[in-house]
């Protein structure tokens, strides 16, 4: 018991017990066996038995004629054999015992708290005899001690497994990964680190259910586990898995392993009566080449994964120094944009949305612009990377909404006719769960009805996160009378699915389709189909990126009512758009209570 308390290994505890008993009872050889979950014998301790004896019984099955120990475990009761040479229980095994001078044996089952046999405690004799009363008392105590020691070891093992292995996938977890990564960096031998991100997991969770998402994660984990032994996959949490790759010394070798992992993961995953196509994205870094400490290696692999998700979704990107530079520049951009917003240098410019039949302006889209001290106007694309920071995105949206509300109030006070102003919102705006209240309070502060605002959300926002937060927020916004538009429609993943899952008021056809109108039949077919679908779903359509009269004419021919693009105007400051609204504003706008642009 002292050995158990000191945390000695179970085998050493068993050996201590066997030696102590043998010192009390001369002429006795002790043995302790474990019984695994498959009913197989696993030697634990027998310090006075030759190693070849333990090796010979390792893996034997318990049964009705399996020597003294295997039979005792099978019967769940003590078995006494006074003559191994003649007893039928030893018929198949006496060749192991007799040459060692083991002539008799007595085995007792060891049970856990539930009564399950988990091992055996045995005496072997050098003479043909059974146990004495003193030996029975000793064995009774030893069996209890063995049960306590084995259960303690199993509880410890179970706790260790829970602490270091993921419950869903049974892969090593983040704590286990951190320990292994630290161990490998201390050894200083070549290895690679690949980070894997499961693509579109949120869409699976939201459209089919979290049980399907869990099944997808488990299947991908199992497929990666089959890539061992040089690959050790670990689940870091959510949709991210890390793979430690032993013996990998150059990027070509690491890429080959990544491609093997991609091939292993790919393929349909059957969940009930539904099939899911498994897609993952990978980024990797090498120890020594890309850093010599755990933090640097992990950070560089993360940079590579981020780049892969931005530019090579569904593939692999290896780290290169330029990626770190790009990430540093992004961090710098976050700081610059933060300072610019504090100085009030970020303002909205407005691009008109026109009725294609009459060229009347029926609405506007507010686009963020950074005005430098020398008057240079920087478009949002130049600082778009900074908006990956949820805090910056949240702050920028707040400033844009406040600017827009003030401008709309000014136009209303001047009696200028227009319907709506669209404002883009990001994943960061939905993460705090207060978007509807925030929009309402900002527009109420300037006494502007919510019917004048359209929140534009693209598919990356709908797919961001891991739950139903965005759809619930969209529903809440629409319940308050705020219009919601699906931006860049047709370029994302499963747009038609989103139209069914997340109803919106307006869809905006992406410029990539509009720019090919008049010269590309497939684009025309797609646009016609989108217009028809939107009409049947009672949604309005705005075509983006119209740059030529021919594109506008084709859209009118197809029945598209509204569009925006450089053909009509580039985004301009509030003062300029005020004059445009006076000249080209819709003469007979729809009533304020109307739900959509017309």
């Amino acid at each position: 018991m002292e050995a158990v308390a000191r945390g000695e290994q179970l085998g050493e505890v068993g050996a201590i017990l066997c030696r102590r008993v043998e010192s009390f009872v001369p002429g006795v050889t002790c043995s302790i066996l474990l019984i695994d979950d498959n009913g197989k014998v696993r030697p634990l301790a027998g310090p006075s038995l030759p190693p070849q004896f333990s090796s010979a019984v390792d893996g034997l099955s318990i049964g009705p004629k399996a020597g003294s120990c295997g039979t005792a475990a099978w019967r769940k009761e003590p078995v006494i054999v006074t003559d191994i040479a003649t007893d039928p229980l030893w018929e198949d095994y006496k060749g192991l015992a007799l040459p060692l001078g083991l002539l008799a044996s007595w085995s007792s089952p060891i049970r856990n708290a539930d009564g399950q046999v988990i091992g055996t405690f045995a005496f072997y004799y050098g003479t043909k005899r059974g146990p004495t009363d003193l030996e029975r008392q000793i064995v009774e105590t030893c069996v209890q001690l063995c049960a306590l020691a084995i259960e303690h070891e199993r509880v410890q093992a179970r706790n260790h497994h829970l602490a270091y292995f993921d419950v869903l996938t049974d892969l090593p977890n983040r704590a286990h990964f951190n320990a292994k990564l630290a161990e490998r960096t201390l050894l200083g031998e070549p290895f690679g680190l690949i980070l894997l991100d499961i693509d579109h997991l949120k869409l699976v969770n939201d459209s089919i259910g979290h049980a399907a998402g869990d099944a997808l994660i488990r299947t991908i984990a199992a497929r990666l586990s089959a890539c061992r032994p040089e690959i050790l996959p670990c689940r870091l949490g959510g949709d991210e898995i890390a793979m430690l790759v032993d013996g990998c010394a150059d990027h070509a070798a690491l890429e080959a392993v990544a491609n093997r992992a991609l091939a292993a993961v790919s393929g349909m995953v059957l969940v009930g009566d539904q099939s899911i196509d498994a897609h993952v994205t990978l980024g990797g870094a090498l120890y020594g080449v890309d850093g010599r400490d755990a933090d640097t290696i992990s950070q560089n692999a993360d940079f590579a994964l981020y780049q892969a998700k931005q530019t090579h979704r569904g593939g692999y990107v290896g780290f290169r120094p330029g990626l770190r530079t790009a990430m540093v520049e992004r961090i710098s951009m976050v700081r610059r944009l933060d300072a610019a917003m504090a100085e009030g240098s970020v303002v909205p410019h407005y691009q008109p949305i026109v009725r294609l039949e009459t060229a009347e302006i029926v609405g506007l889209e507010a686009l963020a612009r950074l005005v430098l001290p020398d008057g240079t106007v920087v478009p949002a694309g130049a600082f778009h990377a900074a908006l990956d920071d949820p805090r910056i995105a949240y702050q920028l949206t707040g400033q844009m909404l406040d600017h827009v509300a003030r401008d709309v109030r000014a136009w209303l006070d001047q009696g200028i006719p227009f319907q709506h102003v669209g404002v883009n919102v990001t994943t960061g705006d939905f993460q705090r769960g207060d978007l509807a209240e925030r929009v309402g309070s900002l527009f109420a502060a300037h006494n502007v009805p919510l019917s004048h605002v359209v929140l534009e959300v693209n598919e990356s926002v709908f797919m961001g996160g891991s739950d139903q937060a965005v759809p619930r927020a969209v529903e809440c916004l629409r319940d308050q009378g705020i219009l919601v538009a699906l931006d860049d429609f047709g370029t994302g993943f499963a747009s038609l699915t989103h139209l069914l899952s997340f109803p919106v008021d307006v869809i905006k056809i992406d410029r990539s389709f509009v720019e090919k109108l008049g010269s590309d039949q497939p684009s025309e077919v797609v646009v016609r189909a989108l217009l028809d679908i939107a009409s049947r779903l009672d949604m309005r359509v705005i075509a983006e990126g119209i740059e030529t009269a021919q594109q506008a004419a084709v859209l009118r021919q197809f029945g598209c009512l509204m569009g925006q693009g450089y053909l009509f105007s580039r985004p301009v400051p509030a003062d300029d758009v005020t004059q445009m609204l006076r000249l080209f504003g819709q003469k007979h706008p729809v009533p304020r209570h109307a739900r959509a642009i017309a």
Side-chain angles (χ1 to χ4, degrees):
M1 293 307 296
E2 289 176 0
V4 171
R6 289 195 305 268
E8 297 279 359
Q9 293 293 321
L10 182 60
E12 182 58 30
V13 173
I16 291 171
L17 180 61
C18 289
R19 291 192 188 98
R20 184 65 59 87
V21 170
E22 290 171 353
S23 69
F24 276 110
V25 187
V28 166
T29 300
C30 288
S31 168
I32 303 173
L33 301 179
L34 298 179
I35 309 300
D36 67 19
D37 293 337
N38 297 316
K40 302 291 185 180
V41 171
R42 303 299 177 189
L44 176 67
S48 299
L49 289 169
Q52 60 267 31
F53 182 86
S54 296
S55 298
V57 301
D58 188 15
L60 295 179
S61 297
I62 66 173
K65 288 181 58 179
S68 300
C69 295
T71 306
W74 174 266
R75 294 179 181 177
K76 301 182 180 180
E77 61 183 28
V79 170
I80 299 172
V81 174
T82 58
D83 186 355
I84 290 176
T86 60
D87 196 296
L89 298 183
W90 277 88
E91 183 179 348
D92 296 331
Y93 307 103
K94 58 186 177 182
L96 296 175
L98 295 178
L100 301 175
L102 306 178
L103 304 181
S105 68
W106 167 40
S107 182
S108 299
I110 302 168
R111 305 172 188 269
N112 62 14
D114 297 326
Q116 178 186 359
V117 175
I118 55 176
T120 60
F121 185 87
F123 276 2
Y124 288 94
Y125 301 108
T127 59
K128 299 176 182 180
R129 71 176 182 91
T132 65
D133 290 341
L134 175 61
E135 289 170 352
R136 289 181 184 275
Q137 294 175 19
I138 291 173
V139 168
E140 182 179 354
T141 300
C142 288
V143 166
Q144 293 175 0
L145 290 174
C146 287
L148 289 172
I150 294 170
E151 279 297 278
H152 179 269
E153 176 77 7
R154 292 191 174 184
V155 169
Q156 292 290 95
R158 188 160 51 247
N159 289 342
H160 179 274
H161 195 83
L162 289 172
Y164 288 97
F165 287 82
D166 177 59
V167 175
L168 177 64
T169 63
D170 206 37
L171 292 180
N173 62 12
R174 182 179 289 275
H176 195 152
F177 165 76
N178 289 338
K180 291 296 184 182
L181 180 60
E183 177 184 296
R184 280 163 170 76
T185 54
L186 285 174
L187 288 174
E189 297 177 355
F191 73 91
L193 171 60
I194 297 174
L195 297 182
L196 176 152
D197 197 72
I198 301 174
D199 298 332
H200 312 307
L201 180 61
K202 179 190 180 300
L203 182 62
V204 173
N205 285 332
D206 290 347
S207 60
I208 307 178
H210 284 271
D214 289 347
L216 178 60
I217 294 170
R218 280 195 301 269
T219 302
I220 289 174
R223 291 173 179 176
L224 290 174
S225 294
C227 294
R228 293 178 179 179
E230 75 271 26
I231 297 176
L232 175 65
C234 306
R235 187 184 180 208
L236 304 186
D239 57 1
E240 192 171 8
I241 293 174
M243 291 178 283
L244 291 167
V245 185
D246 290 332
C248 204
D250 58 65
H251 273 289
L254 189 61
E255 184 173 1
V257 172
N259 288 334
R260 186 152 61 89
L262 284 167
V265 165
S266 65
M268 303 303 293
V269 178
L270 186 62
V271 181
D273 58 352
Q274 303 224 34
S275 294
I276 308 167
D277 198 2
H279 289 279
V280 299
T281 301
L282 309 178
L286 282 171
Y287 171 77
V289 177
D290 303 320
R292 303 193 70 86
D293 61 85
D295 288 343
T296 302
I297 291 295
S298 296
Q299 190 178 64
N300 288 343
D302 201 38
F303 288 161
L305 176 61
Y306 179 84
Q307 180 69 12
K309 290 193 290 186
Q310 296 296 313
T311 64
H312 198 46
R313 176 75 68 170
Y316 168 78
V317 168
F319 176 78
R320 55 185 184 274
L323 297 183
R324 176 176 284 275
T325 302
M327 194 63 67
V328 170
E329 289 177 353
R330 174 178 168 269
I331 294 171
S332 176
M333 177 56 72
V334 167
R335 292 173 179 163
R336 293 201 298 271
L337 185 57
D338 204 4
M341 287 191 290
E343 297 167 357
S345 301
V346 180
V347 298
H349 281 201
Y350 297 93
Q351 184 172 41
I353 297 169
V354 305
R355 189 172 181 87
L356 296 180
E357 290 181 343
T358 62
E360 294 175 299
I361 298 174
V362 296
L364 306 165
E365 180 180 358
L367 299 163
R369 294 293 183 262
L370 172 59
V371 181
L372 300 179
D374 63 359
T376 302
V377 177
V378 180
F383 53 83
H384 184 268
L387 300 182
D388 288 340
D389 185 309
R391 179 186 64 83
I392 290 293
Y394 183 86
Q395 185 178 343
L396 177 63
T397 300
Q399 289 198 7
M400 289 290 290
L401 287 169
D402 185 67
H403 270 291
V404 167
R406 282 192 277 115
D407 289 339
V408 170
R409 183 68 264 163
W411 295 328
L412 293 175
D413 290 343
Q414 296 174 59
I416 295 175
F418 77 101
Q419 290 186 42
H420 311 282
V421 179
V423 181
N424 292 279
V425 289
T426 69
T427 302
D429 298 310
F430 286 96
Q431 287 179 344
R432 303 197 188 187
D434 64 347
L435 183 57
E437 295 81 0
R438 190 179 180 211
V439 175
S441 62
L442 283 170
F443 274 68
H446 297 283
N447 193 28
V448 174
L450 293 177
S451 57
H452 287 297
V453 64
V454 177
L455 295 186
E456 300 194 7
V457 186
N458 63 36
E459 287 185 337
S460 65
V461 176
F462 273 125
M463 293 167 63
S466 58
D467 51 32
Q468 288 286 328
V470 173
R472 284 197 298 269
V474 168
E475 183 179 357
C476 183
L477 291 164
R478 298 181 76 233
D479 287 344
Q480 292 190 22
I482 300 170
L483 299 178
V484 177
L486 182 57
D487 198 13
D488 301 328
F489 181 72
T491 62
F493 183 78
S495 295
L496 297 180
T497 300
H498 284 141
L499 290 183
L500 298 175
S501 305
F502 314 126
V504 294
D505 303 289
V506 182
I507 62 174
K508 304 187 74 174
I509 299 178
D510 187 72
R511 65 180 63 245
S512 61
F513 293 103
V514 173
E515 68 184 5
K516 298 176 183 178
L517 293 180
S519 61
D520 183 73
Q521 185 181 14
S523 292
E524 294 182 1
V525 171
V526 170
V527 171
R528 278 183 182 273
L530 295 181
L531 287 166
D532 183 58
I533 291 170
S535 175
R536 293 175 184 274
L537 293 175
D538 195 27
M539 298 175 181
R540 301 296 180 262
V541 175
I542 298 173
E544 298 181 292
I546 302 174
E547 297 186 359
T548 68
Q550 182 185 21
Q551 293 166 354
V554 173
L555 287 165
R556 287 195 302 270
Q557 178 187 347
F558 290 172
C560 183
L561 299 179
M562 291 163 291
Q564 67 184 97
Y566 289 176
L567 175 65
F568 308 107
S569 173
R570 292 175 177 269
V572 295
D575 289 343
D576 292 345
V577 88
T578 299
Q579 297 305 315
M580 295 173 67
L581 286 170
R582 290 184 187 279
L583 294 172
F584 305 108
Q586 191 175 21
K587 304 307 179 187
H588 303 287
V590 295
R592 289 183 180 178
H593 66 268
R595 283 285 301 172
I597 299 170

